[in-house]
Amino acid sequence: MNRKHDVIIIGSGIAGMRAAIEAAQNNPGLDVAIVSKVQLMRSHSVCAEGGTAAVIQPDEGDSIELHAWDTVRGADFLCDQDVVMRFVEEIPKEIMLLEHWGIPWSRRPDGRIAQRPFGGHSYNRATFAADKTGFFEMQTLYDTLQKFDNISRYDECYVTSILIEDNLFHGVTAWDLAHGEFFAIQGKALVIATGGACRMFGFTTYSLTATGDGIAMAYRAGLPLKDTEFVQFHPTGLVPSGILITEAARGEGGYLRNSQGERFMEKYAAGKMELAPRDIIARAEMTEIEEGRGFTGPDGLDYVHVDLSHLGADKINERLPLIREVAIRFNFIDPIDEPIPVRPAAHYFMGGIHTDIDGATPVEGIWAAGEAGCLSLHGANRLGSNSTAECLVWGKIAGNKAARYALQQKNFPPLPQEAALKVAEAQVFDRFKPDAKESAFSLRGELQKIMDAEVSVYRTGSGLEAALKKVKELKQRVADIQVKDRGRIYNTDLLSALEVDNLLDIAEVVVVGALARTESRGAHSRRDFPERDDVNWLKHTLAHYTPAGPRIEYLPVTINAWEPVERKY
Ligand SMILES: Cc1cc2nc3c(=O)[nH]c(=O)nc-3n(C[C@H](O)[C@H](O)[C@H](O)COP(=O)(O)OP(=O)(O)OC[C@H]3O[C@@H](n4cnc5c(N)ncnc54)[C@H](O)[C@@H]3O)c2cc1C
């Protein structure tokens, strides 16, 4: 049976839950729903470790302008500066709001909220709860959510399409994974908060569930994607699993060393050392490894070391307990005594669904927030601890805007006729045949292999051409994925097929954008075009869906405070 809610939010990460609270708390008469493919607290956001950036100690020397400048410079000037200003002004209020809602922020001996250094920030402004910041933020939002009886939950329901007609939002279709039912949800407003798409890479810090579904659905429904060629590679992915060793490990004083024991960042960013922005450190690590100063790792995963041993047991246990536990459990290494093997891992999607400064997409009634959206806050390279912050700020803004819009609409836009919904249902459940030849698992593996090889820290034109050819070939093979399980309850065969289809659509946009961008900027580093080219490329990439592949156009960058200068640390 179909359902109906004023505001539908897809996703229950930090962005989705913050949006739901904002929509519900100011409007008791408004009917809000959260749809999530996992139980709410299992969303990828619980993985966030190191902190959330905000200026909360202006009396001690930090300033809004400094946070803005750090973000603009970190972004290699591809961010929209009006968006950045709004961000730095709003996030301190969110930190205090979470404080009032009960989050156990780590504290200084004088009782004030503690803040730690993070890469690219010129002040200690990452607010944290040990190295489990995302977990505690999620828990606090989840607790707060319980206060509102005008929020309905659809846990473990997988949204399969966004329904748009005449550029107006009408609803979504969803598959209840636990009970097998397929239904439509009619709505007046939608917030897409479905997270990023780095699972298209093999060596990644991402949760298995973060497969870019919302970005792909939006793209196919006609919403343009922005700046997807900018993928962040985090310098400290644990080898071989890819689990994140938080930047806070370096923020607390950890060193990066090569196989000769050298703190090699001296050569690449002497002023910031281990706390340079991530794109710069990731390139430095790959250079060290490629020039023979790394360690030989399994399956080609050569690595460098992050060394915490000089920090002492007390500091590691108090500030980095999760990192210690992960290193012991997964690598049988105790960081109190031994260095940890790390290399760059796909970590964050700077691009996403194109929105304006309010998170509004070009389709009436649809907003996007969090990692799924692209407001142009992070530009070509996000600074660590600015993402959870963005989720909070634009979760609130998008939730508020969506609620206000829904309240102004007298009627619900109609759902498609029953027959059309039956077609949508068949497109999910009858699309893949039991006797087909391809495996979703192998396709995902092949995609990850080519993305790791050719679309990683360093890129070249010929490598990207090869990646595009492979992605197109894989897209052809999707139709022949075998799904033997014909059931509808927890059918993970079918779910994997749908997810790889989503990843492939976005991978194509990533590669096409990267191939077109003949410069190096932030996380997009072309060996064949090593310089930043502001004359030709200080612009956003916008990709529109066509059945033959993305149609690319470009948008200007908003520069209203700082003109681009050479980026030196
Ligand atoms: C290991 C790790 C550590 C990090 N640490 C930090 C940090 O310390 N500080 C920082 O600022 N950033 C950090 N980040 C980045 C940050 O955690 C993420 O960018 C952020 O949490 C994304 O939140 P989100 O709300 O946008 O989406 P997510 O938390 O990814 O949530 C997406 C939601 O969408 C739902 N969903 C997706 N597809 C569908 C579908 N088809 N149908 C229904 N529901 C769907 C999912 O169920 C989920 O609820 C880290 C990232 C990683 C990987």
Side-chain angles (χ1 to χ4, degrees):
M1 208 182 68
N2 296 330
R3 324 291 211 278
K4 199 188 242 191
H5 299 280
D6 295 317
V7 177
I8 302 168
I9 294 161
I10 320 176
S12 60
I14 295 173
M17 284 216 261
R18 183 66 188 89
I21 293 169
E22 192 62 22
Q25 72 176 356
N26 299 321
N27 314 289
L30 197 76
D31 178 359
V32 180
I34 303 183
V35 192
S36 178
K37 77 189 212 187
V38 296
Q39 191 277 340
L40 261 65
M41 278 297 291
R42 287 182 183 269
S43 298
H44 172 68
S45 285
V46 291
C47 301
E49 296 177 4
T52 298
V55 176
I56 57 169
Q57 295 164 351
D59 54 321
E60 295 185 4
D62 200 5
S63 78
I64 295 287
E65 290 72 24
L66 196 56
H67 190 186
W69 165 242
D70 289 342
T71 302
V72 169
R73 187 161 65 136
D76 220 348
F77 298 92
L78 196 74
C79 54
D80 286 350
Q81 295 180 8
D82 53 344
V83 171
V84 174
M85 275 320 289
R86 187 168 187 188
F87 168 68
V88 295
E89 280 165 3
E90 291 301 316
I91 183 59
K93 299 174 206 162
E94 289 296 305
I95 298 292
M96 295 323 291
L97 193 60
L98 286 179
E99 164 99 341
H100 291 302
W101 286 343
I103 195 169
W105 291 127
S106 292
R107 294 196 173 267
R108 308 190 318 198
D110 66 1
R112 292 186 79 169
I113 295 170
Q115 293 192 294
R116 59 169 43 130
F118 245 68
H121 291 277
S122 37
Y123 195 86
N124 298 356
R125 64 169 76 95
T127 315
F128 60 98
D131 54 357
K132 300 172 187 171
T133 308
F135 171 80
F136 284 113
E137 290 178 348
M138 286 285 286
Q139 187 66 55
T140 305
L141 293 171
Y142 186 75
D143 284 351
T144 306
L145 204 76
Q146 311 307 316
K147 293 185 200 158
F148 303 104
D149 55 14
N150 55 336
I151 301 178
S152 307
R153 282 170 51 178
Y154 294 84
D155 287 18
E156 298 191 321
C157 285
Y158 184 88
V159 174
T160 54
S161 68
I162 299 169
L163 305 169
I164 298 170
E165 236 183 84
D166 297 329
N167 207 45
L168 179 70
F169 172 66
H170 287 233
V172 299
T173 56
W175 165 28
D176 183 338
L177 300 171
H179 303 96
E181 197 190 344
F182 183 87
F183 53 92
I185 312 179
Q186 193 173 10
K188 294 176 178 170
L190 174 72
V191 179
I192 306 171
T194 44
C198 282
R199 269 282 152 195
M200 69 180 68
F201 294 86
F203 191 68
T204 175
T205 59
Y206 258 44
S207 306
L208 280 164
T209 53
T211 50
D213 304 329
I215 300 176
M217 272 185 277
Y219 173 57
R220 288 194 292 263
L223 291 155
L225 305 187
K226 189 162 66 195
D227 290 343
T228 57
E229 63 268 34
F230 296 99
V231 176
Q232 178 160 83
F233 296 89
H234 194 293
T236 51
L238 181 66
V239 172
S241 60
I243 295 171
L244 182 74
I245 301 298
T246 172
E247 188 161 302
R250 285 169 283 130
E252 296 293 347
Y255 296 150
L256 288 169
R257 294 189 195 277
N258 61 20
S259 58
Q260 294 165 13
E262 295 161 345
R263 284 180 68 191
F264 56 84
M265 283 312 297
E266 178 91 51
K267 284 181 277 181
Y268 304 93
K272 282 269 180 195
M273 294 295 286
E274 282 85 358
L275 289 175
R278 291 175 178 173
D279 57 331
I280 293 175
I281 302 186
R283 281 193 291 275
E285 289 183 357
M286 290 316 295
T287 304
E288 291 298 301
I289 289 169
E290 285 171 13
E291 292 182 358
R293 294 182 296 278
F295 299 88
T296 304
D299 302 323
L301 293 174
D302 293 352
Y303 58 85
V304 294
H305 276 150
V306 61
D307 185 4
L308 311 184
S309 56
H310 56 285
L311 299 183
D314 287 351
K315 189 164 192 181
I316 292 175
N317 285 330
E318 187 206 325
R319 294 292 176 92
L320 302 165
L322 180 66
I323 291 315
R324 182 170 180 223
E325 188 185 333
V326 162
I328 292 173
R329 285 191 184 217
F330 286 84
N331 286 49
F332 309 107
I333 283 172
D334 189 340
I336 290 175
D337 306 313
E338 285 176 85
I340 308 171
V342 292
R343 64 178 275 127
H347 178 71
Y348 185 82
F349 216 59
M350 263 82 70
I353 301 163
H354 168 52
T355 74
D356 69 8
I357 192 168
D358 290 330
T361 72
V363 172
E364 188 179 335
I366 303 185
W367 284 258
E371 201 172 333
C374 181
L375 295 147
S376 305
L377 170 62
H378 309 298
N381 175 63
R382 170 177 78 91
L383 291 190
S385 68
N386 267 357
S387 168
T388 43
E390 177 198 354
C391 290
L392 290 165
V393 171
W394 270 278
K396 173 187 170 174
I397 293 172
N400 177 35
K401 295 280 175 189
R404 283 165 58 168
Y405 171 85
L407 286 170
Q408 286 160 8
Q409 310 307 309
K410 269 203 190 124
N411 302 313
F412 280 82
L415 283 178
Q417 301 289 323
E418 195 55 31
L421 288 175
K422 284 276 166 217
V423 172
E425 183 170 4
Q427 274 166 357
V428 174
F429 295 106
D430 301 338
R431 177 172 171 197
F432 302 104
K433 306 293 175 213
D435 53 355
K437 298 285 174 292
E438 297 285 355
S439 134
F441 181 77
S442 305
L443 255 58
R444 198 196 275 213
E446 287 182 48
L447 170 67
Q448 292 175 337
K449 196 169 165 202
I450 192 80
M451 296 300 285
D452 280 356
E454 304 296 355
V455 200
S456 188
V457 173
Y458 282 113
R459 301 163 173 185
T460 62
S462 56
L464 290 167
E465 294 278 8
L468 186 58
K469 191 163 166 240
K470 183 69 186 178
V471 169
K472 283 187 181 291
E473 175 214 310
L474 293 170
K475 277 172 65 96
Q476 292 289 322
R477 288 162 57 193
V478 166
D480 209 23
I481 290 178
Q482 181 189 70
V483 173
K484 266 200 176 145
D485 183 352
R486 305 317 289 168
R488 292 189 172 196
I489 294 178
Y490 290 123
N491 184 340
T492 48
D493 264 11
L494 177 55
L495 195 60
S496 303
L498 296 171
E499 287 175 345
V500 78
D501 186 31
N502 288 333
L503 286 173
L504 279 164
D505 271 350
I506 309 171
E508 186 179 26
V509 184
V510 170
V511 178
V512 167
L515 198 50
R517 189 173 278 275
T518 48
E519 66 156 354
S520 288
R521 181 185 298 273
H524 171 68
S525 216
R526 292 273 303 249
R527 285 200 197 273
D528 41 356
F529 296 94
E531 302 300 327
R532 192 176 83 195
D533 176 358
D534 288 337
V535 175
N536 295 301
W537 287 106
L538 187 55
K539 56 190 181 186
H540 299 296
T541 305
L542 208 60
H544 300 266
Y545 175 82
T546 81
R551 176 174 62 77
I552 300 286
E553 59 179 358
Y554 294 95
L555 282 182
V557 177
T558 304
I559 295 174
N560 58 8
W562 292 282
E563 286 301 321
V565 291
E566 193 188 347
R567 196 164 157 250
K568 268 193 175 160
Y569 289 92

